[in-house]
Amino acid sequence: MFTLFLRESKKVIFSITFLILIAAMLLMALSQDVLDFNDREIEMPFSGQSYGMQTKEIPEIIMPAAITSLYSEYKANSYTAYPIGFYKNVKLSTKEQQQVAEILSMITEISLEELVNSVNTTTHNGDRLIFENGKELASDDGEVMITMPIPNNDSDTVLLVKDELTYEKFKSYMKQVDKLIGGGSNYSKTMLLNFGKVPITYKEAIDSYFMIKDKDHFSGAYARLFSDYLVTVLSILPVFLAITISLKDKRNGIHELIYTRKTSSVKIILTRYISIITAIMISVIIISYISNMSAWSFYDGMKLDYLAPLKYDLGWILPSVMISAAVGMFFTELTNTAIGVAVQGLWWFIDINTGKAEIISGYSLFRLSPRHNSLQYTQAFNDHFNSLIVNRLFFIVLALILVAATILIYEQKRRGRLNGKFKSLIKKTFANMANSKSKSAA
């Protein structure tokens, strides 16, 4: 089996597709500044600095901010949405606008009649939304004060959030609004949290620094950010390599000979699959250590986790490489075509674009490319770590199921069954679609 592994590995390593994959990885790392961290030292914060903003689920902040946004979009009948990750401007019908107005009247003190009139009479130049009864929110250490403004002239539109409105009820109303818009709006469950922007306090900045120092040992934070970017390209590129290798024998005219050899189908498919995964992952590990080592000099005398790049490569990136390669091999063996590119490409395209809303701790079960687009937020990573484990195990199991299915198909072909059937079916399907279009055009 080792001889077979060396033979398959040689095919992989010396293929143009593999060289393109390596170049794409390097290009991604370079373009996103994660190949060289020389100018990205994680420093201990000092009092009096600005520490950036963060998102928190604070109802007192989210509700008025979301209602302000909704009222503005309602008046303009212009709603922002990202149904599959791409910007879309949505204009609602008269009936749908009426439903939005009804929801606004139920969560504010403005009557339905006033809302309808505001659309008919208000110009959008300089019109302002103000929440009455300004509220102040202070952090525990007293450093941050957030004040909701109160109206100061007669031209301001005054919105009063109903006192009896609970946060849970508010979220249910926003869910209705999101459905009216078509999904992916600012009022969806995920995007709604973006209205909860608050400054990071000094205490939080200090806590974050020591989490990185004590839990990530610095190198873990860099390895995580490297994985965040690399997994996006390694969720799609392995499918090309798997298809190239799987079709290579057929192009060379020796696939019939392989079918008649005594080597078992299990050995042939597993060896091919393992050689693809091994070649890719060795490259990933080398590049990840080059990346991580560029930051080590910042932390002389401090404890570093020198295995962090390897841990993230195997735990974060490997499952995505496995599923991408498995999809390529399965569909190539099933159809004798490169249709696996379309399947994986569509999946990847949807995943990347819908994942834009979850770039920190985006570890939902079906997330092909887990996201953590920051050197910070170690606590958020730890809080969602179990979700990440479940996600990665799910893709490992799914990949192995596809490999097992590929072995079964390969074995059937060696016995003279299935050959060309699926390919003929695909051609017939596309031919029928073309004929239908021709008839409808005529």
Side-chain angles (χ1 to χ4, degrees):
M1 187 171 179
F2 183 68
T3 302
L4 185 59
F5 173 75
L6 291 178
R7 187 183 306 148
E8 291 294 330
S9 296
K10 184 178 179 181
K11 288 182 190 176
V12 173
I13 295 171
F14 291 102
S15 69
I16 295 176
T17 309
F18 180 69
L19 297 178
I20 293 173
L21 185 148
I22 299 298
M25 284 196 294
L26 289 171
L27 182 62
M28 170 60 82
L30 280 168
S31 64
Q32 301 303 321
D33 293 326
V34 293
L35 188 62
D36 186 350
F37 287 111
N38 275 329
D39 58 348
R40 301 181 71 173
E41 180 179 0
I42 301 172
E43 298 178 306
M44 180 184 290
F46 295 96
S47 180
Q49 293 178 310
S50 174
Y51 314 108
M53 301 292 289
Q54 62 183 325
T55 300
K56 281 192 173 183
E57 193 169 11
I58 303 175
E60 293 86 354
I61 294 177
I62 291 176
M63 289 198 293
I67 294 172
T68 298
S69 172
L70 178 58
Y71 184 70
S72 296
E73 292 193 324
Y74 162 74
K75 287 194 302 176
N77 191 13
S78 178
Y79 299 86
T80 298
Y82 297 85
I84 57 170
F86 285 96
Y87 170 79
K88 181 181 180 182
N89 180 261
V90 178
K91 290 191 177 297
L92 300 182
S93 66
T94 302
K95 182 180 178 181
E96 291 168 333
Q97 275 285 81
Q98 178 73 14
Q99 290 176 275
V100 174
E102 289 172 358
I103 290 172
L104 279 168
S105 70
M106 287 186 280
I107 60 180
T108 70
E109 296 291 351
I110 297 182
S111 68
L112 180 58
E113 183 180 357
E114 288 177 303
L115 286 164
V116 173
N117 288 338
S118 71
V119 173
N120 296 329
T121 61
T122 303
T123 61
H124 307 301
N125 295 324
D127 188 60
R128 298 198 298 144
L129 282 178
I130 300 296
F131 276 83
E132 197 172 52
N133 299 332
K135 298 180 181 178
E136 294 182 342
L137 302 173
S139 62
D140 292 337
D141 59 7
E143 289 196 28
V144 176
M145 192 75 75
I146 302 167
T147 303
M148 293 309 200
I150 60 175
N152 54 25
N153 62 62
D154 293 335
S155 66
D156 292 337
T157 300
V158 180
L159 292 181
L160 285 169
V161 181
K162 287 189 174 178
D163 292 335
E164 64 271 21
L165 180 66
T166 64
Y167 186 52
E168 291 304 316
K169 191 66 176 174
F170 164 78
K171 288 194 292 185
S172 71
Y173 283 129
M174 293 300 102
K175 184 177 180 180
Q176 294 175 42
V177 171
D178 181 60
K179 187 175 181 181
L180 286 170
I181 296 171
S185 73
N186 293 326
Y187 315 104
S188 64
K189 182 180 179 181
T190 302
M191 298 295 287
L192 195 61
L193 297 178
N194 290 333
F195 288 109
K197 294 287 186 182
V198 296
I200 298 173
T201 67
Y202 172 64
K203 182 180 183 303
E204 289 170 333
I206 281 289
D207 289 343
S208 176
Y209 173 80
F210 280 104
M211 282 291 294
I212 296 172
K213 179 177 180 291
D214 298 332
K215 299 295 183 181
D216 286 327
H217 303 296
F218 295 110
S219 50
Y222 292 103
R224 187 164 54 238
L225 184 59
F226 174 86
S227 299
D228 168 81
Y229 283 111
L230 265 290
V231 77
T232 59
V233 293
L234 290 173
S235 295
I236 180 64
L237 293 181
V239 74
F240 292 95
L241 183 60
I243 290 172
T244 299
I245 301 304
S246 296
L247 291 176
K248 188 177 180 67
D249 293 329
K250 183 177 179 181
R251 288 198 303 268
N252 292 339
I254 61 173
H255 63 292
E256 295 295 340
L257 179 61
I258 292 177
Y259 287 150
T260 61
R261 286 179 177 172
K262 293 182 179 180
T263 306
S264 70
S265 299
V266 174
K267 284 185 178 180
I268 292 173
I269 297 300
L270 276 184
T271 303
R272 179 173 297 169
Y273 183 66
I274 292 171
S275 66
I276 292 171
I277 300 301
T278 302
I280 294 174
M281 290 311 300
I282 287 176
S283 305
V284 170
I285 291 169
I286 291 172
I287 297 172
S288 69
Y289 266 94
I290 292 172
S291 164
N292 210 266
M293 289 170 64
S294 67
W296 290 359
S297 61
F298 293 140
Y299 310 104
D300 287 339
M302 297 186 182
K303 184 179 180 181
L304 298 177
D305 182 359
Y306 297 107
L307 292 178
L310 182 62
K311 292 176 186 176
Y312 278 90
D313 293 340
L314 299 181
W316 193 296
I317 297 176
L318 175 60
S320 293
V321 172
M322 288 178 64
I323 189 64
S324 182
V327 167
M329 289 184 63
F330 172 76
F331 281 101
T332 303
E333 203 58 53
L334 181 67
T335 67
N336 288 335
T337 70
I339 196 172
V341 170
V343 174
Q344 187 68 17
L346 179 62
W347 185 8
W348 175 83
F349 177 81
I350 294 173
D351 181 81
I352 290 296
N353 286 288
T354 56
K356 289 178 180 178
E358 299 179 347
I359 60 172
I360 300 296
S361 302
Y363 315 139
S364 55
L365 180 60
F366 300 109
R367 179 67 61 214
L368 180 63
S369 305
R371 303 304 309 274
H372 191 100
N373 194 240
S374 175
L375 288 171
Q376 308 293 326
Y377 305 110
T378 302
Q379 186 61 58
F381 170 74
N382 290 337
D383 291 343
H384 297 89
F385 183 72
N386 289 339
S387 297
L388 177 63
I389 293 297
V390 172
N391 168 281
R392 298 290 78 190
L393 288 176
F394 170 76
F395 281 102
I396 289 173
V397 172
L398 183 58
L400 294 178
I401 290 173
L402 287 176
V403 171
T406 304
I407 292 170
L408 292 175
I409 294 169
Y410 190 85
E411 179 62 27
Q412 291 302 309
K413 285 187 174 182
R414 295 182 83 178
R415 296 181 182 184
R417 305 167 189 168
L418 299 179
N419 285 312
K421 288 185 178 181
F422 286 98
K423 185 175 181 179
S424 300
L425 180 62
I426 291 171
K427 286 183 176 180
K428 186 177 180 180
T429 300
F430 280 107
N432 289 336
M433 291 172 62
N435 290 334
S436 298
K437 289 182 178 179
S438 299
K439 289 178 181 179
S440 61

